[in-house]
Amino acid sequence: MKTIRLTGILLSLLALFVACEDNWGDHYRNTGSSEGITDQKIGEWLEAQPEFSRFAELMNETGMDLELNKDQVLTCWAVKDENMVDFSGRTAVEKQQLAQHHINYVAIYSSKFEDGKLIKTLAGKNLYVTWDEAGQEYLMDGYKVVESQMCANGVVHVLERSLEPRLNIYEYVSRLGDDYSMFRDSLLSFTEHIFRPDLSFPLGVDEYGNTLYDSVFRDESMFSFLWNENANYTLFVPDNAVYQGAWQEIVDLYANVYHSPLMRSDSLIIYNWLMTSVAMDGKYENYAAAGNLESLLGKWEWRSDVQQVDQGRMELMSNGVVHKLTYLHVPNFLLLSSLRCVPSIYKEIWDAAPDGSKQDSVDKYFTLVGHSLNEKEFNGTAANGGFVGFWPDFNKDNKSVKVFFMRNEATQGGDAGLIPEFSLTWRSLTKDRFGNIIEGQLVPGQYKVYGSFRQGSGHDLDLYVNDEFVAKFNASNATYNYAVDAATWATGTSGYIGTYIHTGETGPVTLRLANPTDRTAATPRRISVQCIEFVPDDTNY
């Protein structure tokens, strides 16, 4: 009986040994490496191998040799002398990070290798495990494991090259040179070094009763996600020339379109866009294929067909990628205000012109076809035939709505056939913020067009902009009544007419209101218009 029991025990131990042999083999499957076993600790084993002298020197200089000899299970990614990076010129901090990047506080055997797996090193950085289909082996940050060594406190994987700890995006920006100082300093200015009493240990009180802490401080920022090593982001970075170019484009826009300097309030809007539009959630290495993106902070649209990068200068970070911008454009819809074209400015031009040249002065901006009244009649109400009138039904507190009015009496009595042309054509006259008459300009893009008319303005009208048909609408409809706030007398936006897409160069436009060419109704015709307004929409990038 004892013999049978002893035989059973021996067979069980043999089976256990075989099973261990199988599991041991699993540690090195698919690495293409050879392996060994020693009862020395990792640090001791490295010191005893002359081919690892430079790697051991780095560990000793940075104090990491103490970690490698601890009674704790570790993984060391070692490199032989011929493949070891030259670290002699690096700072103490850089050497420390380099050494820590070759150590993990867990034994990672070959059986634990998995495609796409992230391994966190003592440097706080990630190693990326990938499967090389061609070589049928796993790679650590792209490098082969050439051999492995089992030690008393873990495992050493020998790599073909040193592992360089990649900077995270925040670290990368903080180390950019002075040619990136404008963007670099702006981003870093959002970081605050904040005392955290909730994380600090109270030591007692001082003579005034104030609590004394073993203080803990933390850096906090709206960009703190950029130092998160466990996610991927994309950041678009402009150098000073690109950054200044974006601002200059805006300054020129204000000078040419608004005829005014860039105001502080507008500058704050632009600065906010510049800082909240450039970071994306996700890793977009192929910018050309990325399409339109949405920024992480401001949820702004980022148009890859407008914003330009140098694809050849993409930087791969530990938590994503950085693209260097070659052109940065602030979207037009962020800056443009509506353009309100006011034909009643006709009278101001007439009044300001010297006698003898008044008609020539207004003819530079206005063309009237079919108007049957005396062109010099300005005073009184529009109902009396003046070009510029004041409607008494809108008169309140001695204030009135100013309109441009023209009419044609030729059709009264029922003239047969099509009505002759009856139209008002004028340039996009408006006033700047200082009250000066200017030709308002449109930047290329898409605009919603609105109109404000006196009710009874005269049936259907066609609107053209730069000879391009926009829409047919009934100006007598209440939709297009004057949009005036009864309390403040501020003019609001009136009825929607249609959409106009301005192509070509930034500049003034020509508007034309005309009776439809197929109209035959025999009634008096009137055009009584307060304004036509162009409002940029969000597609105006």
Side-chain angles (χ1 to χ4, degrees):
M1 179 66 71
K2 290 182 179 179
T3 302
I4 294 173
R5 288 179 178 174
L6 181 59
T7 302
I9 292 172
L10 290 173
L11 289 173
S12 297
L13 290 173
L14 179 61
L16 180 60
F17 176 76
V18 172
C20 289
E21 287 271 311
D22 291 341
N23 291 337
W24 189 259
D26 287 343
H27 292 320
Y28 300 99
R29 184 167 297 140
N30 295 330
T31 65
S33 64
S34 59
E35 63 277 350
I37 306 172
T38 179
D39 58 1
Q40 292 178 303
K41 292 182 179 179
I42 293 175
E44 296 170 341
W45 182 82
L46 288 172
E47 285 282 358
Q49 312 304 313
E51 66 268 30
F52 292 101
S53 62
R54 295 185 61 224
F55 185 83
E57 178 189 345
L58 176 66
M59 296 297 121
N60 294 336
E61 186 176 337
T62 57
M64 288 298 102
D65 58 321
L66 301 178
E67 297 293 325
L68 295 177
N69 286 320
K70 280 185 175 180
D71 290 325
Q72 180 172 343
V73 180
L74 302 165
T75 298
C76 179
W77 309 91
V79 184
K80 293 183 178 180
D81 288 350
E82 64 267 24
N83 298 319
M84 185 64 187
V85 67
D86 181 11
F87 56 86
S88 58
R90 302 196 183 192
T91 66
V93 172
E94 291 171 339
K95 290 178 182 179
Q96 181 85 7
Q97 191 174 52
L98 178 64
Q100 291 176 333
H101 196 53
H102 287 79
I103 303 173
N104 304 96
Y105 272 147
V106 64
I108 303 172
Y109 302 108
S110 302
S111 60
K112 301 297 184 182
F113 292 172
E114 183 181 344
D115 188 36
K117 187 173 184 176
L118 298 181
I119 299 174
K120 185 75 70 177
T121 69
L122 265 63
K125 304 294 183 179
N126 292 321
L127 297 181
Y128 293 86
V129 183
T130 55
W131 174 253
D132 179 21
E133 191 67 35
Q136 290 293 292
E137 58 189 341
Y138 286 104
L139 305 177
M140 302 298 129
D141 260 12
Y143 300 139
K144 295 179 182 180
V145 178
V146 295
E147 60 182 277
S148 298
Q149 174 70 47
M150 286 295 300
C151 295
N153 63 341
V155 60
V156 177
H157 294 299
V158 181
L159 299 178
E160 61 177 342
R161 291 285 301 276
S162 300
L163 295 171
E164 285 290 348
R166 291 194 184 103
L167 300 175
N168 62 44
I169 295 176
Y170 189 88
E171 291 170 332
Y172 177 81
V173 172
S174 68
R175 300 184 190 188
L176 284 170
D178 287 342
D179 51 337
Y180 286 88
S181 62
M182 292 181 173
F183 178 79
R184 178 200 65 199
D185 295 347
S186 294
L187 188 144
L188 297 181
S189 69
F190 288 93
T191 302
E192 297 182 275
H193 196 58
I194 297 176
F195 170 58
R196 292 291 301 272
D198 56 318
L199 301 177
S200 303
F201 183 77
L203 300 175
V205 295
D206 62 14
E207 57 183 312
Y208 302 105
N210 300 314
T211 303
L212 300 175
Y213 291 94
D214 182 8
S215 301
V216 174
F217 289 83
R218 290 187 62 176
D219 288 338
E220 296 184 5
S221 169
M222 63 184 283
F223 293 101
S224 59
F225 60 91
L226 293 179
W227 62 62
N228 177 12
E229 299 280 353
N230 297 316
N232 280 313
Y233 304 98
T234 298
L235 185 71
F236 298 101
V237 177
D239 63 19
N240 291 350
V242 172
Y243 194 77
Q244 288 176 313
W247 279 101
Q248 189 59 51
E249 190 177 271
I250 296 160
V251 170
D252 293 343
L253 175 71
Y254 271 68
N256 297 328
V257 175
Y258 299 138
H259 301 276
S260 72
L262 185 62
M263 308 300 287
R264 175 176 171 78
S265 58
D266 298 322
S267 298
L268 293 175
I269 293 173
I270 296 162
Y271 179 75
N272 176 67
W273 181 88
L274 287 169
M275 299 310 300
T276 60
S277 67
V278 292
M280 312 296 160
D281 190 12
K283 186 177 180 181
Y284 298 97
E285 295 186 49
N286 188 344
Y287 183 68
N292 293 344
L293 305 174
E294 182 181 76
S295 66
L296 183 61
L297 291 176
K299 303 302 179 185
W300 300 107
E301 180 187 20
W302 180 271
R303 291 270 298 273
S304 59
D305 61 330
V306 176
Q307 317 294 355
Q308 301 298 313
V309 306
D310 184 348
Q311 184 69 50
R313 296 172 63 203
M314 183 196 74
E315 300 283 355
L316 189 61
M317 303 288 108
S318 64
N319 60 346
V321 295
V322 170
H323 285 286
K324 304 290 186 62
L325 286 163
T326 57
Y327 174 70
L328 178 61
H329 169 73
V330 178
N332 293 333
F333 67 77
L334 192 70
L335 306 169
L336 298 179
S337 60
S338 61
L339 172 60
R340 186 186 294 272
C341 303
V342 185
S344 59
I345 288 175
Y346 186 112
K347 184 176 187 302
E348 295 182 49
I349 295 174
W350 180 280
D351 289 344
D355 292 338
S357 62
K358 292 181 179 294
Q359 192 64 54
D360 290 339
S361 297
V362 294
D363 286 347
K364 289 171 56 179
Y365 304 103
F366 293 83
T367 301
L368 284 69
V369 177
H371 182 62
S372 60
L373 300 180
N374 188 334
E375 294 184 358
K376 295 182 180 180
E377 292 183 23
F378 296 112
N379 299 321
T381 67
N384 292 330
F387 281 147
V388 179
F390 302 92
W391 291 103
D393 50 331
F394 277 89
N395 193 312
K396 179 182 178 181
D397 300 330
N398 295 319
K399 297 177 181 177
S400 301
V401 175
K402 187 179 292 186
V403 299
F404 184 98
F405 178 89
M406 59 182 286
R407 71 190 288 166
N408 184 294
E409 306 290 347
T411 60
Q412 293 192 68
D415 291 355
L418 294 177
I419 295 174
E421 181 182 354
F422 178 60
S423 64
L424 165 65
T425 301
W426 81 103
R427 297 285 278 173
S428 49
L429 296 176
T430 189
K431 290 188 177 181
D432 63 19
R433 64 183 69 193
F434 306 109
N436 302 311
I437 297 174
I438 61 172
E439 285 192 72
Q441 302 189 58
L442 289 184
V443 171
Q446 182 167 300
Y447 295 83
K448 295 177 181 178
V449 184
Y450 296 84
S452 179
F453 296 78
R454 181 182 186 275
Q455 190 171 11
S457 290
H459 305 285
D460 290 342
L461 288 174
D462 289 343
L463 174 64
Y464 298 83
V465 179
N466 283 351
D467 293 324
E468 179 181 327
F469 177 75
V470 175
K472 181 195 297 287
F473 64 100
N474 187 343
S476 296
N477 191 292
T479 302
Y480 304 103
N481 282 3
Y482 300 131
V484 177
D485 187 297
T488 65
W489 282 91
T491 303
T493 300
S494 190
Y496 175 71
I497 296 174
T499 297
Y500 170 66
I501 300 176
H502 184 58
T503 58
E505 300 295 326
T506 297
V509 295
T510 300
L511 302 92
R512 183 159 67 96
L513 288 168
N515 62 277
T517 56
D518 60 349
R519 184 172 169 223
T520 59
T523 57
R525 289 173 291 153
R526 299 177 296 277
I527 294 176
S528 182
V529 55
Q530 181 190 12
C531 66
I532 298 293
E533 186 170 9
F534 296 86
V535 179
D537 62 19
D538 289 349
T539 63
N540 197 334
Y541 199 86

